[in-house]
Amino acid sequence: MEQDHAKPNARTAQRRKVLKTGKALLPGGFSVMDCVIRDVSDSGARLEVGDPLSLPDRFRLVCIQDNTMREVLVMWRREGRAGVAFEGPERRAPLRKW
């Protein structure tokens, strides 16, 4: 079940614990998966998601509370969790009802 794209503890930035509602916008823009953003650093985040294996390697992560969106790359998957690296700058999420 585990898929790692990076070495363990290869983080380059300090994590901050958060509890925020997230949405994974899957490629094509027609599918959305709910997730919980559990911690964040300048370089990535740890997500709780029902089935991390159903996440594509790349997607857009929306933080509902902040109304922000980032392109991300999945670095690892474990039961109920996934670690993502930010691939682009943070930007405003489009105004939509998720």
Side-chain angles (χ1 to χ4, degrees):
M1 170 119 182
E2 185 174 322
Q3 177 183 346
D4 284 318
H5 289 289
K7 295 177 185 173
N9 299 319
R11 273 180 236 104
T12 58
Q14 185 69 26
R15 288 183 180 182
R16 295 175 305 281
K17 291 193 181 292
V18 297
L19 180 59
K20 295 186 176 187
T21 304
K23 300 285 182 179
L25 304 181
L26 307 186
F30 298 108
S31 296
V32 176
M33 288 180 65
D34 292 328
C35 64
V36 176
I37 304 167
R38 295 300 302 199
D39 60 42
V40 171
S41 71
D42 291 338
S43 59
R46 180 172 54 97
L47 310 177
E48 286 182 1
V49 59
D51 180 11
L53 293 178
S54 64
L55 286 173
D57 288 340
R58 285 185 161 84
F59 61 92
R60 289 183 180 153
L61 176 63
V62 174
C63 178
I64 300 301
Q65 285 91 335
D66 301 340
N67 194 37
T68 58
M69 177 171 61
R70 290 188 95 148
E71 303 290 329
V72 299
L73 169 67
V74 176
M75 300 302 290
W76 56 265
R77 294 171 168 90
R78 294 189 184 94
E79 202 166 307
R81 297 175 293 162
V84 298
F86 298 138
E87 290 201 300
E90 184 177 84
R91 59 183 195 249
R92 285 274 166 223
L95 295 175
R96 294 181 74 176
K97 295 201 183 226
W98 308 101

